[in-house]
Amino acid sequence: MAQATGTALVYDEQMSRYKLLWLDPACELEVPERLTVSYEALVQNGLSGRCVSVPVREATDAEILLAHSEEYLEAVKKTPYMSLEDLMTFTQQYGDVYFHPNIYHCAKLAIGAALQLVDNVMTGSVRNGLALVRPPGHHSQHSAANGFCVFNNVAIAAQYAKKYHGVKKVLIVDWDVHHGQGVQYCFEDDPSVLYFSWHRYEHQNFWPNLKESDHDSVGKGKGAGFNVNVPWNQVGMENSDYLAVFFHVLLPVAYEFGPDLVLVCAGFDSAIGDPEGHMCATPDIFAHLTHLLMNLAGGKLCAVLEGGYNLSSLAQSVCQTVLTLLGDPAPRPTELHGPCESALESIHCVRSSHKQYWSCLKHAADMLSYEPSTKHRKVMEGALISQNQDEQGQKTEEGSTTELVFPELLQRVAPAVRTALVLPDAVECTDGCAHFSAKKAPDPLALNRLSMNGKESGDEASLTALANLIPVIEKMEKNEIQNCLALVPDVSTAAATVVQQANTSLTKRVLVVWVGEGPLPTQMMGDEKTLLVHLGSKEQEDLNSKYYVPISLKKGCRDTAGLLQALLGVLLPLGFQFNPSLVLLVRTPGGNVATAVWQQLTCLLQGLAQGRTLVLMQEKETSSISATASCLLGNPAPSLGPLGAPMPDNVEALERLGHRLQAHWKLLQTTAAASRRSAPCGYTPSSRMKPPSV
Ligand code: Q9C
Ligand code: ZN
């Protein structure tokens, strides 16, 4: 089947036609404007026009019964005919939810919107999409409404995808700030649906105050290991905390799982300014979260709106998500200083709880019996504190929350040319790219630049190839070209030239990702403007350099699971924290990396440097041109399928490397302070394997 393209937007303003009809402080945040404001923002930013508009429909009884009981459905069916008084009474049997004569209709449309999205993605008429819906779904349960939710839109969508599209494995990523306990209950013993949720928890002091929202609820029976909870035990979590959880918990597990479809419970109450979440992650983080999920399942991603109660934060976050689904480069993340201590405790705990279920976590540190730094408070005492904190969300006359101060939506301007190809003349072209010959007579200015850099001694062919690269790099700097694939006679010389050229400006930082064996150009062993990460098989000496990171893997790049672990757990955290303005991806001849893994690498690295990626390959590697160009053009990498276990030696080596580097690069941390202090010193692979000598 041809590569699916396009982003669906499933929306109908009908879903804004219900509201709270009585006084209830717990529910007044859930307003119709949440939906209209989100949609208006998409229109204003020209994004709805770039999406494929997909109509909603009402879900059928059979579809609702995929996740709910008949008794509950029959009860909800009566609500359109109830008096106000009866609606209030009906509402009272559930927690933090309200009914309205029109909510049953809207709830059926919300499910139908999610199912329309799944249909369009699964049949390949679009690649991905967002359903903007009300009421939300992830708190609703088999026989209960809860937390503004009536029917479980995403749970039903997952069951539907399995039943009607033959989907074998579904990943549900719940980035809403609340625990989607309804989704957890639905799939607790089901190994075909992996549910991940992070949520404000505060040691059970935050709503819904459940024991089963903690990190040790991992699923039951055959589903053990397929429920991943990351509790936030403090408010104020930032971009670094969210990214650290993706790099060290969600992504390794998700890639090992190998889903056929990704569903996102896309709640934006986890963004800054939200009166429920009290978190500090900025709206642009959703561009990165989205991008990081877009190469799973061959790009089949369906996002469905859940929470989000600060209208301005919500609208910005929705726009960032859709921009990324459409393929626009994500903005550069702002200063990431690494996860906070409380987030590290959570990460440490969840990795430890799951180590027996996932190969990628097999060597994760055990929890120690140290006293946690974030003290466990008594539930009742804490509940009072949470309630008082919530008073700070001030209300305007209309009942919407006043806007807090956070960065404006960063305007993203996509370059006119997405992908430039610099190829030897005889080489076959790939569609959709701009071509730059490597053999045409070079620009004299560029030649002059090269000779100033001491390159005049090289042979004419390689000099010409280099000279033709320079105008492309300049265009990338001017935002006229986003990325480039160049085939050159000698990758080593070309890489050195590019780094030299890029470093001429003071603010430029280059991340060099060197795949395969050397020779590494000696003049680029790394400095504060050049971070060099070398993925290869040669045993490296344990250099203690911050800017030269050799990742040596046994069997080189052929241990797919090991390489993925290196990519997700080391390269991406380093890259995000370094925050380059250009990524230079170099593949040496005979690098021996499988095409599908190379594509994951190429795709994921485009989350950095606003997608400014320059790929250098050896002239003769013409068979990789179309696979590489496809990734640079924004097509998803093909699914790797479920991953096996990485080679134990490689896991050990990565663990050791992480410990060595985490003093410099805090985004590599995966453990809380108490265990981190003891880990790096006296740590050897063999001491890990043997029981401690008493
Ligand atoms: N201040 C969704 O985000 N409880 N639901 C609020 C505590 C209800 C959130 C009371 C929160 C429900 C979809
Ligand atoms: Zn929520």
Side-chain angles (χ1 to χ4, degrees), residues 26 96 136 138-139 147-149 176 178 207 269 276 306-307 309 390:
D96 296 77
H138 71 155
H139 297 303
F148 315 150
C149 304
D176 185 283
H178 300 97
W207 189 90
D269 42 16
E276 269 288 304
E306 297 281 356
Y309 307 99
D390 282 343

Side-chain angles (χ1 to χ4, degrees), residues 516-536:
E517 306 319 319
L520 289 165
T522 44
Q523 67 269 46
M524 84 183 202
M525 288 306 278
D527 55 64
E528 67 284 337
K529 283 168 72 180
T530 316
L531 171 59
L532 175 54
V533 181
H534 181 185
L535 287 157

Side-chain angles (χ1 to χ4, degrees), residues 284-441:
D284 57 298
I285 200 62
F286 296 101
H288 290 284
L289 303 186
T290 303
H291 186 257
L292 289 167
L293 297 174
M294 278 169 68
N295 295 293
L296 290 155
K300 291 195 286 296
L301 187 155
C302 301
V304 182
L305 182 68
E306 297 281 356
Y309 307 99
N310 177 309
L311 297 183
S312 154
S313 179
L314 167 66
Q316 289 189 36
S317 301
V318 165
C319 287
Q320 292 291 351
T321 303
V322 172
L323 269 165
T324 307
L325 291 175
L326 284 164
D328 279 17
R332 283 171 73 182
T334 38
E335 281 310 287
L336 298 169
H337 33 254
C340 71
E341 206 48 44
S342 175
L344 282 169
E345 265 180 40
S346 300
I347 290 169
H348 186 171
C349 287
V350 66
R351 281 168 56 93
S352 169
S353 290
H354 276 275
K355 59 186 290 184
Q356 57 178 305
Y357 305 107
W358 299 98
S359 298
C360 59
L361 301 177
K362 198 164 172 186
H363 296 264
D366 284 307
M367 274 178 285
L368 303 176
S369 51
Y370 60 85
E371 182 78 350
S373 64
T374 52
K375 289 262 162 55
H376 198 114
R377 281 172 297 167
K378 273 180 274 161
V379 175
M380 280 321 293
E381 186 185 314
L384 289 172
I385 294 167
S386 298
Q387 257 170 28
N388 291 338
Q389 278 177 352
D390 282 343
E391 296 307 315
Q392 69 195 63
Q394 293 161 28
K395 307 296 183 298
T396 62
E397 278 166 70
E398 293 80 34
S400 66
T401 324
T402 45
E403 281 160 34
L404 304 173
V405 181
F406 51 85
E408 277 298 297
L409 178 62
L410 299 160
Q411 283 297 326
R412 297 200 218 162
V413 185
V417 172
R418 169 80 184 210
T419 302
L421 292 179
V422 180
L423 301 176
D425 282 337
V427 173
E428 191 94 352
C429 301
T430 305
D431 287 344
C433 301
H435 291 268
F436 294 81
S437 168
K439 291 267 166 75
K440 74 160 197 221

Side-chain angles (χ1 to χ4, degrees), residues 201-222:
Y201 190 57
E202 296 172 286
H203 300 289
Q204 215 182 316
N205 288 312
F206 187 69
W207 189 90
N209 312 88
L210 302 169
K211 178 78 197 67
E212 61 267 31
S213 304
D214 214 343
H215 62 86
D216 54 0
S217 288
V218 296
K220 295 174 175 168
K222 284 197 167 122

